[in-house]
Amino acid sequence: MSKPDWKQKFRYGFDTFISRHPWSTLFVLLAIFIALLVLMTIMRNLVHLIEPIDEEGYGGFWPMVYHVFLQLADPGGMASDIERSAWSKFVAVLSGISGLIIFGSLTAFITSALMGRLDRHRQGRSRVVESGHTLILGLNNRTIELIDELKIANIEMPDERLKKGDSRVVVVLSPEGKVRLEDQIRSRTDRAGNVPWWQYIRRQRTRIVERIGDSALTGDLERMSLSSARSVVVLAHTDHTADDDDMQASDAMVIRSCLAVEQLKQAKNKEDKRPIVVAELLQERSRKVLESRERTVYTFNGNDLLAKLIVQASRSEGLAKVWTELLSFKHAEMYIYTLKQGEKDWGEGKTFGDLAYGFTEKPAELKKPVATPVPIGIYRKKESDKESDTILINPKSTEKMKKGDQAIVVAMDDSTIEYSHGHGDTMSKKFEMCRGNTINNLRPRKKETILVIGWNSLGETIVKELKNYVERGSNVVVMTSSDNKDQAAEIRKLDIAVPEIEVEYVGDKDPNKPEDLQSMELHRYGHIILLSQKQRFRGSMGTDASANDAGTILTLLQLRQVLDKSSVQPSSKLIVEIQNSDNEELLRNGGRDNDFIVSNKLISKMLAQISEDPGMRNVYREILKEESSELYIKPMSCYPTGADNPKELQFGDLMMLAQRRLEVCIGVKLKVKSDDITLIPEKTKLFKLADLDGLIVFADNEQ
């Protein structure tokens, strides 16, 4: 190979210099300008030597240099040579044209550099200077709902928390571009057409900050002021409709981000427990791995919780609305209540039953219905690191309260809850009408036939959960449009894994064909569960969630059409799972009163509550356990009042009736008023109830 000549050496040196620093171009342009200034000055001096000028105007060398500079900087300076010789005019024109080129290039460079710097800041690479904020790592189809729920929570944030350093700021870190992230958040959160204008204005108190970066890099996490954050939520990178490999890859990335968070957290705050870290994991084995490694990370398996909610909501008409309200910051919700400063214990000899009437709600500026808090359980903190917290939902009324115990309370807002030792004794005496012995009128279970259309990772949990509610020998029929052999084998294995239920797989019929749906005789099924399934078409469908929902909507329309045309009046309850909550209203139009639409919004609501109080994760887990008390709506026929006709009872009396069945009552459902749900009303509020009406209770079983 031949040696490089001087041109190649010069070009290499020039390229190296230009690429070394962004401002190298400016230095080159300045050097060219100085060279032009010197060259034009020399040419003008040569012209003046050939044709001496007697007029005043230059007065020496340096004035001539200044004159050339003016012509380079401003082409209008050529007018000063209009009365001079042709050669002077030539040099002036040459100076003006050279100046236009060099200053135009300089202006373009400065503009480009400035716009580049502004664009870099707009991309979200600068440091976040906040404290007490909520940090969301990742972007999926639950992020928008999570932000909406945090906005509602921040509206009611008490001044005490603001004084302690908490803030109404939500920071989102995502590898996607900040502009795209901003567009998604601005277009889908708090659209003024979806909420009243006064709520829209109040929700703007929460500021959203978007940043681009990798959630597994400590440098990017440090830019988010992680050590001063109130909580960190690590979101999954896919959803439950994905296959096992994709879910495993998502969990691996979430665990990687959690390790980076904990590493930075330990380096900055060795003793402080903040920020709270909540991680969304899709597989149980991943959750166990992370919890064994990082005990300070609160793992969250939204799939299992969503599946159990689907089963519970399918058992009682109206229970879906109850769960939606309990999980939202807008309505009554569950809180872990700690005694205020100065109150050392719950009172000598106090039991859980004594707490029922001891809570009051102090006046607040919140525009919520008047209500009184109702205790539903006990949160008992662990005594050592080797133990775990104990959650008692609907404990025995004789369970004694210990020092340090916390009460799990359903209330409108945690800042308004108050407990009075003597108030409970005074109030309980007002509700003697329904006091009595334990009621043991349990309802018998029946064999049921349930149809599941579609399949994803929720399916297995739903089938296993159903065995706790139906009579042995009940039948679950699974119908899918997929020809996935592994999926078919998985469904058939459930027939062996769950001997209490007969699981039947129908793989030779397509739920998107009306004739196949008609052949299934839909009126035979008490419940029809329509699960979201991964669709194979993409193209212009947008996100995976949009494509999956499009397939679900198509199947649902076919299903409703077949049910409407059926010669036998169907009584089947439809439970439909969608991924994008924007499609909820679309599906409700034309639906039936007992249809239940479940979306990812429920998971987002849970995530928001856990990020505000991590102890709520343990509460939700306990409530959704098969061996624990769960939420039911039970008919008034289960609660004999001693009267044949409907009778007006105070809510406090209804609580007493529930206690006699070893249950905790938190609300009332009125059948005659379009399934009107009332949670934690005032204890003195009167209700005229018939057998078709029901009580919303926490109980050990649905009987």
Side-chain angles (χ1 to χ4, degrees):
M1 188 174 180
S2 60
K3 291 184 179 181
D5 55 19
W6 68 272
K7 291 182 181 180
Q8 293 173 330
K9 290 180 179 179
F10 175 77
R11 181 176 296 176
Y12 173 74
F14 182 76
D15 291 346
T16 303
F17 176 76
I18 288 293
S19 61
R20 185 175 300 173
H21 196 278
W23 296 99
S24 301
T25 305
L26 177 63
F27 298 146
V28 172
L29 290 173
L30 288 175
I32 294 174
F33 176 76
I34 294 172
L36 285 173
L37 180 63
V38 172
L39 179 61
M40 293 299 108
T41 302
I42 293 173
M43 290 180 66
R44 184 166 288 280
N45 274 285
L46 290 174
V47 170
H48 290 173
L49 288 175
I50 297 172
E51 298 179 358
I53 299 175
D54 297 332
E55 298 107 327
E56 298 180 359
Y58 298 129
F61 175 77
W62 291 112
M64 185 177 294
V65 172
Y66 181 67
H67 184 75
V68 172
F69 173 79
L70 291 178
Q71 289 184 339
L72 286 169
D74 181 12
M78 293 185 292
S80 61
D81 289 327
I82 195 169
E83 300 295 336
R84 296 194 173 97
S85 66
W87 285 107
S88 295
K89 292 177 181 177
F90 172 76
V91 175
V93 170
L94 190 61
S95 298
I97 294 174
S98 301
L100 279 174
I101 296 173
I102 196 68
F103 272 98
S105 301
L106 188 61
T107 303
F109 169 76
I110 294 174
T111 303
S112 177
L114 180 61
M115 293 304 295
R117 179 61 63 176
L118 292 175
D119 187 58
R120 178 178 174 82
H121 284 288
R122 191 162 181 258
Q123 287 178 0
R125 298 187 181 276
S126 60
R127 182 183 178 88
V128 173
V129 186
E130 299 287 352
S131 62
H133 55 285
T134 300
L135 175 59
I136 301 175
L137 303 181
L139 182 68
N140 60 24
N141 54 3
R142 287 179 290 282
T143 307
I144 307 301
E145 286 88 359
L146 177 58
I147 292 174
D148 271 342
E149 286 301 315
L150 291 173
K151 282 186 174 185
I152 298 170
N154 288 339
I155 289 175
E156 300 166 358
M157 183 180 292
D159 294 335
E160 292 80 4
R161 285 181 56 182
L162 292 173
K163 291 177 182 179
K164 290 180 180 179
D166 289 351
S167 65
R168 297 188 179 100
V169 178
V170 177
V171 180
V172 183
L173 177 65
S174 168
E176 298 190 29
K178 179 175 180 284
V179 177
R180 181 182 175 188
L181 183 61
E182 282 180 341
D183 289 342
Q184 289 189 42
I185 293 175
R186 299 292 183 269
S187 64
R188 289 190 60 194
T189 58
D190 285 347
R191 285 166 289 194
N194 294 348
V195 294
W197 63 269
W198 63 87
Q199 291 185 18
Y200 178 80
I201 292 175
R202 292 182 73 194
R203 291 188 190 184
Q204 303 317 305
R205 298 169 69 180
T206 296
R207 188 156 42 88
I208 311 299
V209 179
E210 300 89 356
R211 288 293 182 267
I212 184 173
D214 189 343
S215 60
L217 298 180
T218 54
D220 285 346
L221 292 174
E222 196 165 5
R223 282 196 297 115
M224 302 302 106
S225 296
L226 181 139
S227 57
S228 60
R230 178 172 79 247
S231 59
V232 179
V233 181
V234 189
L235 295 177
H237 295 259
T238 186
D239 54 59
H240 57 273
T241 62
D243 55 32
D244 287 343
D245 291 339
D246 289 342
M247 287 194 288
Q248 186 174 346
S250 171
D251 286 353
M253 288 187 281
V254 169
I255 292 175
R256 179 168 164 256
S257 297
C258 289
L259 294 178
V261 168
E262 287 300 307
Q263 180 183 350
L264 188 60
K265 180 179 170 182
Q266 292 173 5
K268 296 291 183 180
N269 302 329
K270 292 187 177 180
E271 297 181 358
D272 194 357
K273 294 182 179 180
R274 296 182 69 178
I276 300 163
V277 183
V278 182
E280 181 189 12
L281 294 168
L282 302 177
Q283 295 184 325
E284 186 67 17
R285 60 177 179 269
S286 301
R287 184 182 68 81
K288 292 180 180 179
V289 167
L290 184 59
E291 287 186 345
S292 64
R293 172 67 173 78
E294 300 291 347
R295 293 184 176 274
T296 57
V297 175
Y298 294 87
T299 60
F300 177 82
N301 189 345
N303 294 348
D304 282 350
L305 295 178
L306 187 61
K308 292 177 180 180
L309 280 178
I310 289 174
V311 173
Q312 284 196 18
S314 70
R315 308 307 302 168
S316 300
E317 212 174 308
L319 194 58
K321 185 178 179 181
V322 175
W323 268 115
T324 301
E325 291 195 11
L326 285 176
L327 293 173
S328 174
F329 289 102
K330 295 180 186 177
H331 309 283
E333 54 190 296
M334 290 179 281
Y335 296 100
I336 300 174
Y337 175 77
T338 305
L339 287 173
K340 299 291 190 296
Q341 190 173 4
E343 296 178 325
K344 296 182 180 179
D345 53 47
W346 296 96
E348 186 177 354
K350 288 289 181 182
T351 63
F352 176 74
D354 297 328
L355 302 186
Y357 302 96
F359 285 93
T360 59
E361 192 152 11
K362 63 183 179 182
E365 297 180 358
L366 304 176
K367 295 182 179 179
K368 288 186 174 182
V370 177
T372 50
V374 176
I376 63 170
I378 302 171
Y379 196 107
R380 191 161 287 163
K381 288 283 189 179
K382 59 185 179 182
E383 297 181 359
S384 65
D385 292 338
K386 294 182 179 180
E387 299 177 355
S388 57
D389 296 343
T390 302
I391 312 295
L392 302 175
I393 301 296
N394 182 30
K396 293 181 179 179
S397 58
T398 56
E399 178 73 29
K400 288 192 175 182
M401 301 296 294
K402 298 180 180 179
K403 186 177 181 180
D405 281 355
Q406 297 169 291
I408 303 170
V409 181
V410 178
M412 284 295 176
D413 190 75
D414 58 343
S415 62
T416 64
I417 302 173
E418 285 188 345
Y419 175 74
S420 173
H421 294 290
H423 182 75
D425 298 333
T426 304
M427 287 293 293
S428 63
K429 293 177 182 178
K430 295 182 179 181
F431 309 111
E432 297 290 337
M433 182 184 298
C434 297
R435 194 180 295 274
N437 297 325
T438 302
I439 303 172
N440 295 312
N441 56 339
L442 299 180
R443 294 175 296 164
R445 286 182 175 181
K446 298 179 181 178
K447 289 185 179 181
E448 300 181 27
T449 304
I450 300 166
L451 175 62
V452 178
I453 300 178
W455 194 259
N456 56 41
S457 60
L458 301 184
E460 181 178 352
T461 306
I462 288 174
V463 173
K464 290 180 177 178
E465 190 71 13
L466 279 170
K467 72 178 182 181
N468 304 311
Y469 298 89
V470 299
E471 182 65 18
R472 189 180 184 92
S474 295
N475 185 238
V476 174
V477 179
V478 182
M479 181 184 185
T480 70
S481 58
S482 173
D483 55 356
N484 190 325
K485 294 181 180 179
D486 293 337
Q487 189 178 87
E490 177 188 347
I491 297 170
R492 290 191 176 98
K493 284 181 181 178
L494 284 174
D495 191 40
I496 301 173
V498 188
E500 298 87 350
I501 297 177
E502 297 177 7
V503 181
E504 179 185 348
Y505 174 65
V506 178
D508 57 347
K509 295 183 180 181
D510 189 349
N512 291 321
K513 294 181 179 179
E515 57 272 18
D516 286 349
L517 287 174
Q518 288 175 354
S519 67
M520 295 295 295
E521 299 179 354
L522 299 178
H523 63 274
R524 297 190 301 111
Y525 301 97
H527 302 85
I528 300 176
I529 301 174
L530 180 55
L531 295 180
S532 179
Q533 192 161 349
K534 195 174 186 67
Q535 301 297 323
R536 287 172 289 184
F537 53 89
R538 288 292 177 267
S540 60
M541 291 301 301
T543 62
D544 286 355
S546 299
N548 296 342
D549 283 352
T552 302
I553 292 171
L554 176 62
T555 305
L556 179 61
L557 293 176
Q558 300 275 18
L559 195 59
R560 282 176 175 170
Q561 185 180 25
V562 172
L563 288 172
D564 291 340
K565 291 182 178 180
S566 175
S567 58
V568 181
Q569 184 64 28
S571 59
S572 307
K573 294 179 182 178
L574 276 177
I575 302 95
V576 185
E577 182 217 351
I578 59 172
Q579 293 180 263
N580 191 339
S581 61
D582 287 345
N583 294 321
E584 262 189 77
E585 289 303 319
L586 180 66
L587 292 179
R588 291 188 194 281
N589 293 333
R592 302 178 303 166
D593 292 338
N594 56 349
D595 288 357
F596 170 44
I597 312 297
V598 59
S599 70
N600 282 322
K601 186 184 289 187
L602 292 176
I603 297 180
S604 301
K605 290 176 183 291
M606 283 189 184
L607 276 171
Q609 290 201 2
I610 294 172
S611 69
E612 292 292 307
D613 186 351
M616 289 305 301
R617 181 203 62 166
N618 298 331
V619 174
Y620 289 134
R621 281 186 180 177
E622 187 65 26
I623 290 175
L624 295 172
K625 276 183 180 179
E626 58 182 89
E627 63 270 15
S628 175
S629 290
E630 299 175 354
L631 196 59
Y632 300 98
I633 298 179
K634 297 189 178 184
M636 278 303 298
S637 57
C638 294
Y639 306 93
T641 60
D644 296 330
N645 299 319
K647 189 172 183 178
E648 283 194 342
L649 294 173
Q650 299 180 84
F651 181 65
D653 293 321
L654 299 176
M655 291 176 61
M656 191 71 70
L657 275 175
Q659 280 189 6
R660 291 175 61 189
R661 289 187 97 243
L662 308 180
E663 300 168 355
V664 175
C665 178
I666 64 169
V668 176
K669 174 196 158 197
L670 300 176
K671 181 72 176 179
V672 293
K673 293 186 178 180
S674 302
D675 294 337
D676 184 23
I677 301 293
T678 305
L679 293 179
I680 57 168
E682 286 187 286
K683 293 182 176 65
T684 55
K685 184 174 180 178
L686 287 170
F687 290 93
K688 190 173 183 179
L689 301 173
D691 285 346
L692 292 178
D693 299 323
L695 298 187
I696 304 168
V697 297
F698 280 94
D700 290 337
N701 54 64
E702 66 173 341
Q703 294 175 289

